Amino acid sequence: MVTSSLPAPLLYQASAVQWNEDYAVSAKHTPYLSDVAYRGRGDVVFIKRKATSAPHWRQATVGESVTAVGFSPLLMPVKGSGQVKEGKLLLQNLNDGVLYSIHDGPSAVGMSGGPVYGKDGSVVGMTVAFVPTHYTQNLTNSDLADAKRVSVFMGYKEIEKEWRRFQGDVKVPAPVAGYVIR
């Protein structure tokens, strides 16, 4: 669990997951987190936090069973299990251009920044939001149109991209003359 610092100490809380032995990741939308070393383009921050070990990270696969873990506003541990759904979401309110992964397990306020585990115990992402189903009923993706819950997580590949940006390893491709096919 991580909490806000000055000017609003302990007013906001979220979850976090260790990225490596020196840094943890959490959701950028949680205000006033302390020890933030880098704010990513997506809804992710890298927090300076030492640990003796870090979990194994990998990319999730569609249909895979996952479990999201975090803390409720009452500081109680909570978790929700579901399956990774096909497709990705762009979150309009974030306007960050990141494609977020989705699963149909429950999540709650306070779980943002917490790990999403695959069945093998590997971390496949970090919870960032849940979407009320009245927003998904008119979608053409049948996985979402019929879903009772839609939980949003930032997958490993997107977090890893932000890590590379933080480390200065991202190469911007040179423009290519010609046509772009989409």
Side-chain angles (χ1 to χ4, degrees), residues 16-28:
V17 58
Q18 204 68 31
W19 176 252
N20 59 30
E21 291 180 358
D22 295 316
Y23 292 92
V25 294
S26 189
K28 180 169 69 176

Side-chain angles (χ1 to χ4, degrees), residues 2 17 29 36 41 55 64 104 122 128-129 140 147 149 163-164:
V2 291
V17 58
H29 69 258
V36 171
R41 192 175 91 195
E64 175 179 4
D104 63 0
S122 297
V128 296
T140 56
R149 293 177 291 275
W163 175 253
R164 286 185 292 138

Side-chain angles (χ1 to χ4, degrees), residues 41-42 89-92 94-100 158 161-162 165:
R41 192 175 91 195
L89 286 180
L90 284 170
L91 298 177
Q92 285 184 325
L94 295 177
N95 196 25
D96 57 13
V98 172
L99 291 172
Y100 292 91
E158 293 293 334
K161 277 186 209 174
E162 296 304 319
R165 278 190 182 91

